[in-house]
Amino acid sequence: MISTGTQLRADAGSTGRLVDGRRVARTVREEVAAGTARFHAETGRRPGLATVLIGDDPASEVYVRNKRKSCVAAGMLDLHRHLPAEATQAEAEALVDSLAADPAVDGILVQLPLPAHLDAGRLVARIPAEKDVDGLTTVNAGLLAQGRPGLRPCTPAGVIRLLDEYEVDLRGAEAVVVGRSDLVGRPMAQLLLGRDATVTIAHSRTADLAAVCRRADVLVVAAGVPGLVGADAIRPGATVIDVGIHRDGNGLRGDVDFDAAVGIAGLITPVPGGVGPMTIAMLLSNTLAAARGRAGRDVG
Ligand code: GUN
């Protein structure tokens, strides 16, 4: 829970509506499967996704397995590659270079974090921007910062899709993003700015985080700290999007103290079943967009 501040209370008995991320993710996956079938009919080939796993981090293994399964279920080619934890930077770079040169590969995703001896920045920099389905390269981050078309990081793109599905009005809204990571916080803020929200980025050094969060009509929390955002940080009726996911003795929980927040927020994502399912759905969407772009087709 973050600092003190005035405790805001919801109207008696009010409860936030829940965002059903599983339902929206299913819709996106169905759209992508239909688009993939069209792409196959038009070009005679299937979009190919190369997930790259280096080492044997158990959480990363689970994430990558789920990405591969979803890719096959959408009708795409699973071009997964695995390197042992002892792989050198040169070996990892040679693998990315070979995927970059392979015409069957439309998307490259290097699962993070990497073993500590490897330099993720240098590795990601070798992914061609048009195959960067994580939206992590400097080129795609720059295109996003300039509001120009490009591949967007999956989780923030998924949050925007959720906000659209639930018809949350972003134009002129006060949006607060908690967290400034390359994968979520920064691109999230840019996407909200691109939708004409008034955006504040808060982070671990922000003074009186609760007061800043209470300004938000739309609060997106991606801090990586379990239960960081409590009742004192939520404006009554706000839309609260929790990107955090943590396993503790009682199962999964997010960065938001859900039990405290649900009676104050107007709309809120649960954990699990909120933002989580969107990340893979948007990865598939990016892979299809990359394939269409590489085939000289409208990216849509
Ligand atoms: N590790 C945790 N989430 C992600 C993600 O979205 N992309 C990559 N590459 N690694 C991750």
Side-chain angles (χ1 to χ4, degrees):
M1 182 87 69
I2 46 180
S3 68
T4 52
T6 317
Q7 175 94 8
L8 292 174
R9 300 233 313 271
D11 297 335
S14 77
T15 300
R17 254 192 329 146
L18 293 193
V19 172
D20 186 348
R22 293 193 180 103
R23 175 182 67 74
V24 179
R26 191 179 321 119
T27 302
V28 172
R29 288 199 311 269
E30 286 166 3
E31 288 168 5
V32 173
T36 296
R38 269 198 308 279
F39 181 84
H40 184 221
E42 287 167 15
T43 65
R45 73 177 191 88
R46 296 185 176 280
L49 174 63
T51 47
V52 175
L53 178 62
I54 306 178
D56 39 30
D57 174 67
S60 291
E61 281 179 350
V62 172
Y63 287 135
V64 168
R65 193 180 319 130
N66 288 337
K67 288 170 184 174
R68 296 176 62 192
K69 267 200 250 172
S70 302
C71 155
V72 171
M76 297 180 178
L77 293 181
D78 168 22
L79 304 171
H80 173 69
R81 302 295 293 271
H82 183 223
L83 290 178
E86 318 73 64
T88 63
Q89 182 77 24
E91 286 165 343
E93 290 182 6
L95 173 58
V96 170
D97 289 351
S98 73
L99 296 169
D102 184 343
V105 173
D106 293 293
I108 302 172
L109 179 144
V110 176
Q111 185 67 25
L112 302 174
L114 295 178
H117 66 282
L118 296 176
D119 182 333
R122 273 172 49 212
L123 195 56
V124 167
R126 303 183 85 89
I127 300 174
E130 67 273 18
K131 295 190 179 189
D132 170 28
V133 287
D134 248 343
L136 268 182
T137 57
T138 303
V139 168
N140 278 317
L143 290 170
L144 172 56
Q146 292 184 340
R148 292 158 63 193
L151 290 165
R152 309 306 198 207
C154 305
T155 301
V159 170
I160 293 289
R161 177 71 189 246
L162 288 176
L163 294 171
D164 285 344
E165 288 282 333
Y166 284 82
E167 297 182 344
V168 176
D169 195 3
L170 294 173
R171 185 181 298 176
E174 284 279 350
V176 174
V177 179
V178 184
R180 51 178 160 174
S181 68
D182 288 346
L183 212 48
V184 185
R186 286 170 201 261
M188 186 74 253
Q190 296 286 357
L191 287 170
L192 290 163
L193 184 61
R195 299 294 293 273
D196 297 327
T198 301
V199 183
T200 302
I201 304 179
H203 48 77
S204 53
R205 299 280 183 272
T206 296
D208 201 348
L209 182 56
V212 173
C213 290
R214 275 199 307 276
R215 296 210 297 258
D217 301 309
V218 178
L219 177 62
V220 182
V221 189
V225 180
L228 175 72
V229 165
D232 59 344
I234 296 168
R235 173 173 177 161
T239 295
V240 177
I241 305 290
D242 190 350
V243 181
I245 185 146
H246 313 276
R247 189 172 293 282
D248 70 10
N250 301 319
L252 296 176
R253 62 187 296 217
D255 288 355
V256 174
D257 179 349
F258 180 86
D259 293 342
V262 70
I264 304 172
L267 180 67
I268 185 168
T269 56
V271 177
V275 174
M278 295 302 293
T279 298
I280 291 183
M282 300 313 288
L283 170 65
L284 300 177
S285 174
N286 275 354
T287 304
L288 177 59
R292 292 188 65 81
R294 292 185 60 245
R297 287 178 155 70
D298 191 10
V299 172

